[in-house]
Every structure is written in C-alpha cells, then in structure tokens.
Amino acid sequence: MRKRVKFFCLCVSPAIDATVTLPSALVGKGEIFKDVRDEENVGGKAFNVARWLAIRGADVVCGGLLGEDNDISFVREMERYGIADGFLRVPGSTRRNEMIVWPGGSVKLNRAAFPLIDAKIANGKLSEDILERLIGEASSSQGIVILSGSLPASFDKSFYNKAISYFKSLGMTTILDASGEAFRLGLEAGPDLIKPNAEECEAVVGFVPKTPEDFIRATRLLCEKSRHVIISDGGNGAWFDGEFISAAKVDVVDTTAAGDTLLAEYCWRFFAEGDNLTSDNARWAVAAGSAACTMPGGAPAPKQLVEKLYGSTKGLKP
C-alpha cells in the first residue's frame, strides 16, 4: 500500500509551450507553409512534474509565479487535473515558448520569464511570498518539495539555495532540478535528490559525462552534496545513484517534458514506497520519460504507453 504524501512543485518560470509542425523541412528564405499543425499546452518544468504526479493520483500543489493577463489556461489545467493552485500573480503575461518541428529536424525558441520584474522586488518580499504561498499552512515532514526549472533573469541565482534551506527548516524533503549557477548554489543547501542531465553536471563536477565511467564518477561527486542523484542521458536512458537504465526506443515528436515526466514518475514511486531505491522504480521513470517524447508541446502521454514501454527498459550495472 502506498504512503499518502503531499507534493509541492515550485515553478517560477512557467510557460505556454506551443509546437508548430511543418509538412517539410526549411530549405531557404521566405518560405510560406500553409499545411501546419499547431498544438499548445501550459507547462514549465515544475508544472509538468505536478501534472504527471496528479495523473498518477498524487496530492499536489503547484505554485510560483503566473502572469495575471493570461493565467486562465493554467487555472483550467490545474482544475482539470486536481492540482491545488499555489501561484502568486504578477502584472503582465506568462511567456510563450515555441518548438518548430519538421521531418528530420526541429528548433526551439525559449523566451525569458517575467522580464519586467524588478530585481529588488524579485529578491525581496516577492521571493518570501512565493515560498509561503506554495506551502500555505503545511509544515509536515511528509511534504515533498520539487524545485525545478530556470529562474527569471531578475532573480538572484541563490534563490534555490535559500528556498531549499527554508523548506528543510520545516522538515520537508527537497528535490532540485536546475542548471548552471542556480544548480551549483542550490546544491550547497543539501537537497535530498537532484536530477541534472549530462550537460548540467558540468557546472558542479567540471566535466560532461559521456562514458559509463564518467557517469559513475559524476554520480559519486554529486552524492557529496545530495543523498540521491539521477543523471538523465537523453534518449539513451538515465543513471540512478550510479545504476544505468536504458530507454525504450520511440519515435520522438517533442522532448519538452521528457525529463520532467521521468522525475515525476520516479518521485511518485520512490517516496510513496518509503524512500527505497529500486531498479523497478527507475525503469518506470525511464519508461515515462520515453513516453513523454512521443507527445507534442509537453502534453502528457497515455499511461498505457508508459506500461508498454516499461517492458522495454533494462537495468544495466556497469
């Protein structure tokens, strides 16, 4: 029987993710495409995590920042999946990102989140209000906080560090999925679990792992800062505390929410099962991440597809 734990997902850089599918490749200048498909979903890394946790039946709060001019699509999505709204509203609009895909290629356009927020405001009371609004009256040691995604440009890179320290002071479990300086500084606060990809490891360990020996070494170094380490390796699979799980082969449509779905699936199984690392949990996580790649614009994959792909994952001890 699964434990009933509550998840809190912190998303300070949400996005409306749009995927435009072209019928043929871009080959020159001034081309006009008429037969295009356009799909749009609300997201952002932590929002994607929250949605998949909710699909799995978890008790989820998602919070952070939303632009008050176009928050309705996020509100509808949270209502659809039963996600509690822990967001603060700020003036303006939430950003819109685009993935343009065509047979054999793609390009993604990521816009800056909340560029009009002043740095003094962002790093003052606003930061405190974001954290307090997310958890409300909760202060239980059963709470799992997932801090995921990039930071708005006006936010100090130490934001995740301060947030992790705050949540840990309440006895909550903290999970970090970030990159660059925000990731490096966040690690100094000692999160319980982290999920960088291979490239994001470089900010902390000084190299991008490529070989099995590299990934094991990177895991060992990162475990000095965090109790559990997941390193995703794109379409190959992922490393879970030094054990590699190979991914199922799928026809990739859009990788937007793949890592987020992997993390959400793992957290749902890992923490609900009593904080026990098992290859089975990791296989389910990789299967969920692979399934997410088959969907446009970060849309959640059918659970039946995850079950099918689970059978194609393999745990390989190097």
Side-chain angles (χ1 to χ4, degrees), residues 250-271:
V250 297
D251 293 326
V252 176
V253 173
D254 189 340
T255 61
T256 295
D260 309 325
T261 308
L262 181 153
L263 179 61
E265 179 77 8
Y266 190 76
C267 288
W268 178 67
R269 294 181 179 277
F270 182 71
F271 292 104

Side-chain angles (χ1 to χ4, degrees), residues 18 64 108 137 217 230 249 276 293 297:
K108 188 169 185 181
E137 299 299 319
R217 181 182 169 213
I230 301 171
K249 300 303 179 185
N276 294 315
C293 293

